[in-house]
Amino acid sequence: MSSDEPTDETATSDETFHPLGEAWQDDLEDVLDDTEYDTELGMEMGKDAMRVTKGELSEEEFHERYHDDVMEEFGEDGRPIASPDDVDDGETGSLLSSLTGDESRREVLKKGAAGAGFATLGWGAVDQQEPEEPAVEDPGEVHPDEDATQWGMTIDLEHCDGCLSCVTACNAEHQWDEGANWMYVLAFEDGNVESPEPDNYESVHDFNFLVRPCQHCTDAPCEKVCPTTARHTRDRGGLVLTDYEVCIGCRYCQVACPYGVNYFQWGEPDVEREELSEEGIYDYRDRPVSRRAPRGVMSKCVFDPARQDGNQGEELVGTTACESACPPSVIQFGDKNNPNSDPERYQDNPARARTLIRVSTGLPSPDELPGMLEGVDSNLDAVTEAVDGLTEESIALAVAVQLTNVEYEEEAPPGDTLPEQEQTILDVVGILQDHGLDLTSEETLRRLGLTVDQFEGPSEDVEVSTNEDVAQERFEDYIDAPEEEFELLADIGTNPNVTYLGKQPGPNAHQVPGPTSYEEVDMLNVRQKALDDETVSIVDRDVDLGVGEESNSSH
């Protein structure tokens, strides 16, 4: 490194800066030693990239601090970070402070004022399919338009069953080498919450799980350190991706990632290039950003850009392999900027969302129900006795769905299932009403337990004033919904686009065997041998929950 090194205020290089802990940080330093690039530079840049996301260091300062070193080491500096050349107001200060007073970064970029500042990065040069779009994407701000799509997930940890279907589906679609898991499902305990022995449990839901894909951060520190623009945030959908043809394998992104989701392809991949479909590798810009990485290149979870771009059919837009394969539907993928999307609806009301999932699959088909009701008297007892799948409880829950139905201004995004499941339930209610059941009368609502005066809550803390309130409490009684909501490492400032519902691993969390082992599904958890000694929380080493990289044996 040059003499323009970080000052003491940024901490010395032997301090622990990585959220995954000292041992993890030491491993990162070791793997950088295996490359031809400057280890100290990579470690210091990774540390300061996280300081940028925390707001402790400006982008301009970060750019200036390392620009000369990056140029000397790589011969280019394509980092999507503001530099003095981006500031043209005759005064000192960051790029953002130089642009029209108090306006936020998002407001400025909406007006296109900051686009020219990043023109030298060469972004969008391979975007040949849609030439009408601007040639330069701005990697420094993921979403200039708040209404733009932001792909993300809501993951319900308390209803995960640890089956590993998401892991196997991700591997089948992307064909990464076994053990370089883009998706992990990990059972844990931390002293406050415990998991049972895998051969002695009453329900898979007795286990505590953490599901770990890439977080696709809105402010991703991994891209801040990439000298070549290989690691970048794509404007369309906010996906954080790696261009396999541009990546030089310096592994600086691996240091800068707080979540430990990056993998380096050491040798030739298990799956030959000829076995990969072209439409699965290239996105709409003709950039190779998906499927397993070539030798010497970084890879990670990508949220299936080939699906989102329609390369695999319009019916798969708005879906991911892991979500589609999840039997209990705990992975909800969709547009985090749309309140009517699956992840947002699930996060907003998990009890109601899980009721939609469970009830809709048990009801008779709306197409078949009218025929099943032929000749049946139009009263509740006759209908429930004659039609399989209709019970007094299922009808009560269906009516509760109708009572709490919300008309969204936004159209449901493609690929979402909760709106379809809700519509199935509403169709069944409509058919029953057409058959002659008055499901809105006070008498019927009382029979179904949906009136205020008959409500008896579990405690005095529950108050209801409308039948809609009672309906919501009915969902809560029917579904054991998660009470906690969190984002991993929210204090880092990366703004991750994965929201978790359920128990957050504590500082003493460690991985334990789950109900399904990786070996049982022909997968590898390459860190498994160290589980007795390693922890899994996000504040200590805790990476062998799967927030870890390939085993040392693969070096």
Side-chain angles (χ1 to χ4, degrees):
M1 295 181 61
S2 72
S3 58
D4 185 20
E5 294 179 343
T7 59
D8 291 341
E9 69 183 43
T10 67
T12 59
S13 59
D14 58 359
E15 273 190 345
T16 300
F17 68 86
H18 204 286
L20 296 183
E22 182 178 2
W24 174 253
Q25 184 173 310
D26 290 343
D27 284 348
L28 289 173
E29 192 164 5
D30 289 341
V31 298
L32 288 192
D33 284 340
D34 288 334
T35 75
E36 62 184 284
Y37 302 104
D38 189 326
T39 296
E40 184 182 358
L41 176 62
M43 296 299 291
E44 293 293 341
M45 287 181 67
K47 173 177 63 180
D48 278 346
M50 283 186 256
R51 294 186 65 225
V52 173
T53 64
K54 290 179 181 179
E56 299 174 354
L57 186 70
S58 74
E59 291 187 347
E60 180 189 1
E61 290 171 323
F62 180 75
H63 185 278
E64 278 302 281
R65 178 168 290 170
Y66 297 106
H67 176 66
D68 291 343
D69 292 318
V70 170
M71 290 297 298
E72 180 179 352
E73 185 69 20
F74 301 101
E76 61 178 312
D77 186 0
R79 293 174 296 147
I81 298 296
S83 71
D85 291 338
D86 300 321
V87 180
D88 190 25
D89 65 346
E91 299 179 7
T92 59
S94 71
L95 168 68
L96 301 182
S97 64
S98 71
L99 295 174
T100 57
D102 296 329
E103 288 183 298
S104 70
R105 180 190 187 106
R106 186 180 300 277
E107 290 167 339
V108 168
L109 291 178
K110 274 185 178 180
K111 298 179 180 180
F118 300 96
T120 58
L121 298 181
W123 286 63
V126 294
D127 185 1
Q128 302 172 3
Q129 295 187 18
E130 297 192 10
E132 72 279 5
E133 293 189 358
V136 177
E137 288 188 356
D138 170 24
E141 173 66 27
V142 177
H143 295 308
D145 184 355
E146 291 183 356
D147 295 327
T149 296
Q150 172 60 66
W151 297 120
M153 289 179 173
T154 294
I155 302 179
D156 185 343
L157 299 175
E158 292 196 2
H159 288 92
C160 175
D161 61 9
C163 68
L164 306 184
S165 294
C166 58
V167 179
T168 59
C170 180
N171 179 257
E173 178 133 333
H174 298 288
Q175 297 172 306
W176 33 262
D177 289 0
E178 289 185 335
N181 295 36
W182 289 9
M183 170 69 87
Y184 266 101
V185 179
L186 309 132
F188 74 89
E189 55 189 34
D190 62 9
N192 292 319
V193 297
E194 305 297 328
S195 290
E197 295 294 330
D199 57 353
N200 184 26
Y201 60 89
E202 295 183 3
S203 168
V204 291
H205 300 299
D206 294 335
F207 291 86
N208 300 288
F209 295 106
L210 178 65
V211 180
R212 190 230 62 183
C214 172
Q215 306 294 295
H216 286 269
C217 308
T218 300
D219 192 10
C222 61
E223 74 168 333
K224 297 182 187 299
V225 300
C226 181
T228 67
T229 74
R231 176 61 55 81
H232 62 283
T233 300
R234 195 178 81 168
D235 184 63
R236 182 188 291 183
L239 300 178
V240 180
L241 303 171
T242 306
D243 188 321
Y244 293 158
E245 291 180 352
V246 179
C247 178
I248 59 175
C250 69
R251 307 186 70 169
Y252 285 12
C253 60
Q254 192 168 13
V255 178
C257 174
Y259 304 99
V261 302
N262 291 277
Y263 295 89
F264 182 71
Q265 185 65 46
W266 285 100
E268 293 299 330
D270 294 343
V271 177
E272 297 290 338
R273 176 67 168 77
E274 293 73 21
E275 299 180 42
L276 303 177
S277 61
E278 294 293 312
E279 64 271 15
I281 298 174
Y282 293 90
D283 70 356
Y284 76 95
R285 307 164 302 170
D286 286 338
R287 297 184 76 169
V289 294
S290 191
R291 304 301 188 264
R292 97 295 183 272
R295 180 179 180 180
V297 171
M298 302 300 298
S299 72
K300 65 172 189 63
C301 155
V302 293
F303 280 178
D304 297 346
R307 290 189 179 215
Q308 313 324 328
D309 294 347
N311 296 359
Q312 297 176 282
E314 291 300 316
E315 69 278 4
L316 293 183
V317 175
T319 71
T320 60
C322 57
E323 176 196 38
S324 300
C326 180
S329 299
V330 301
I331 299 174
Q332 298 290 325
F333 176 82
D335 181 4
K336 297 283 280 185
N337 284 343
N338 187 336
N340 196 16
S341 70
D342 281 355
E344 291 302 287
R345 290 179 60 160
Y346 200 108
Q347 180 181 343
D348 182 59
N349 195 336
R352 188 177 190 274
R354 288 218 67 81
T355 299
L356 296 179
I357 294 169
R358 186 181 297 181
V359 171
S360 63
T361 56
L363 292 175
S365 166
D367 294 332
E368 300 175 358
L369 183 56
M372 300 168 72
L373 290 171
E374 289 184 4
V376 178
D377 290 342
S378 58
N379 63 75
L380 203 57
D381 290 328
V383 168
T384 56
E385 183 176 346
V387 180
D388 290 337
L390 286 181
T391 64
E392 193 164 309
E393 180 184 46
S394 67
I395 293 175
L397 291 167
V399 173
V401 168
Q402 184 185 55
L403 287 171
T404 55
N405 181 45
V406 175
E407 294 293 334
Y408 291 91
E409 294 182 4
E410 301 82 356
E411 184 178 349
D416 282 12
T417 57
L418 289 178
E420 294 179 3
Q421 290 161 336
E422 179 161 3
Q423 190 57 54
T424 294
I425 294 172
L426 296 177
D427 288 346
V428 168
V429 171
I431 292 169
L432 293 177
Q433 290 174 324
D434 291 342
H435 183 67
L437 285 179
D438 188 357
L439 298 177
T440 61
S441 69
E442 189 72 11
E443 179 182 353
T444 303
L445 291 176
R446 180 178 297 279
R447 169 84 179 268
L448 298 175
L450 294 172
T451 59
V452 173
D453 61 350
Q454 67 180 159
F455 175 76
E456 294 183 4
S459 71
E460 295 180 357
D461 295 333
V462 177
E463 296 182 3
V464 296
S465 58
T466 66
N467 290 347
E468 290 80 1
D469 293 339
V470 178
Q472 177 61 37
E473 291 304 319
R474 191 65 179 263
F475 301 144
E476 303 285 349
D477 290 342
Y478 180 62
I479 295 292
D480 186 15
E483 297 181 357
E484 300 177 41
E485 175 184 315
F486 66 94
E487 295 175 342
L488 289 178
L489 295 176
D491 61 332
I492 298 293
T494 59
N495 191 13
N497 285 297
V498 176
T499 303
Y500 292 94
L501 306 178
K503 297 181 179 67
Q504 182 172 7
N508 299 314
H510 57 279
Q511 186 179 359
V512 297
T516 304
S517 70
Y518 280 74
E519 290 77 7
E520 288 179 77
V521 295
D522 296 323
M523 289 281 105
L524 294 178
N525 179 0
V526 295
R527 310 285 287 188
Q528 195 78 30
K529 60 185 178 182
L531 293 184
D532 290 340
D533 300 321
E534 309 299 349
T535 55
V536 301
S537 81
I538 304 298
V539 296
D540 197 68
R541 161 129 182 164
D542 303 346
V543 292
D544 285 316
L545 242 190
V547 244
E549 56 137 30
E550 68 279 334
S551 68
N552 291 334
S553 62
S554 65
H555 284 204

